[in-house]
Amino acid sequence: MKVNWREVVSRHHEWAHRDDDCVLLMPDPSDEKRLVDKLGSLGFPRVEEFESFYRSVDGYGSKWNVDDEDSWLFVPVDQLPTAVKHGRDWFLKTHPDIAERFFAFINWGNGDYSGYLLDETGGCDGRIYTFEHEMFEFDEKQDWRDFLDSYYDSILDFLSMSLDES
């Protein structure tokens, strides 16, 4: 199934900001070579839905005022290494095996990140996992599932779930 990501993102933004004047940030598609090089440098396996999304739009965010910084929900390709690092840094010392498999590309802007969690063999099933910093106890005995959970089966599920509620 071919997804019109630009339409899905537009509809999600309209739903998320229906009560404010927030401006949609939806850059042109990511350059294919840059995308593949960035993913390779991060040691991330190819995931068709992810690449399809970024081949349509290089990130997705919002801007409230002209003078405000861009607020990226789906970070642009060039910001992926930073998002991955920040997402992992929270629990790298206490849960290094899980942190090394967490590939954050959604930045909630509040300390939480969402992204893929690779399995022990380096594979990815496409589910979106969310790290919730409020649930994290900085304790290696804490079960990682207490602070990292999958709520969405895919990027499309993540961006579409809200559309069913409107």
Side-chain angles (χ1 to χ4, degrees):
M1 169 177 87
K2 182 149 173 71
V3 176
N4 182 337
W5 289 111
R6 297 186 79 77
E7 179 181 321
V8 170
V9 166
S10 293
R11 291 182 63 215
H12 184 267
H13 177 82
E14 288 171 10
W15 170 84
H17 298 284
R18 64 183 171 260
D19 297 328
D20 60 40
D21 295 328
C22 195
V23 175
L24 170 64
L25 299 175
M26 185 169 44
D28 290 336
S30 175
D31 174 73
E32 181 77 19
K33 180 177 178 358
R34 196 170 87 240
L35 175 62
V36 171
D37 288 350
K38 199 64 76 172
L39 294 176
S41 72
L42 293 169
F44 186 71
R46 312 268 320 244
V47 176
E48 178 53 38
E49 184 186 48
F50 180 88
E51 291 184 31
S52 170
F53 178 86
Y54 278 91
R55 276 191 244 112
S56 297
V57 56
D58 188 7
Y60 157 38
S62 305
K63 189 171 196 145
W64 276 264
N65 299 303
V66 174
D67 296 332
D68 288 346
E69 286 187 35
D70 296 346
S71 177
W72 295 105
L73 182 61
F74 281 72
V75 301
V77 168
D78 288 339
Q79 294 180 23
L80 284 173
T82 301
V84 170
K85 180 184 182 328
H86 288 172
R88 290 175 174 173
D89 280 353
W90 276 95
F91 52 99
L92 187 59
K93 288 183 181 170
T94 59
H95 298 77
D97 53 329
I98 299 299
E100 290 298 325
R101 294 190 282 131
F102 185 52
F103 183 80
F105 56 90
I106 298 171
N107 181 352
W108 291 98
N110 64 357
D112 294 350
Y113 288 87
S114 295
Y116 296 131
L117 182 64
L118 306 184
D119 63 27
E120 291 82 9
T121 66
C124 180
D125 65 8
R127 287 184 293 158
I128 306 295
Y129 286 79
T130 298
F131 168 73
E132 297 178 76
H133 76 279
E134 296 90 350
M135 304 302 291
F136 181 59
E137 299 173 358
F138 298 93
D139 178 358
E140 67 259 356
K141 293 179 182 134
Q142 181 183 19
D143 188 322
W144 64 268
R145 291 168 199 85
D146 292 344
F147 57 84
L148 189 64
D149 202 355
S150 175
Y151 300 107
Y152 309 103
D153 292 332
S154 65
I155 293 172
L156 184 59
D157 182 37
F158 174 88
L159 291 172
S160 299
M161 59 83 197
S162 57
L163 302 179
D164 296 333
E165 300 169 8
S166 46

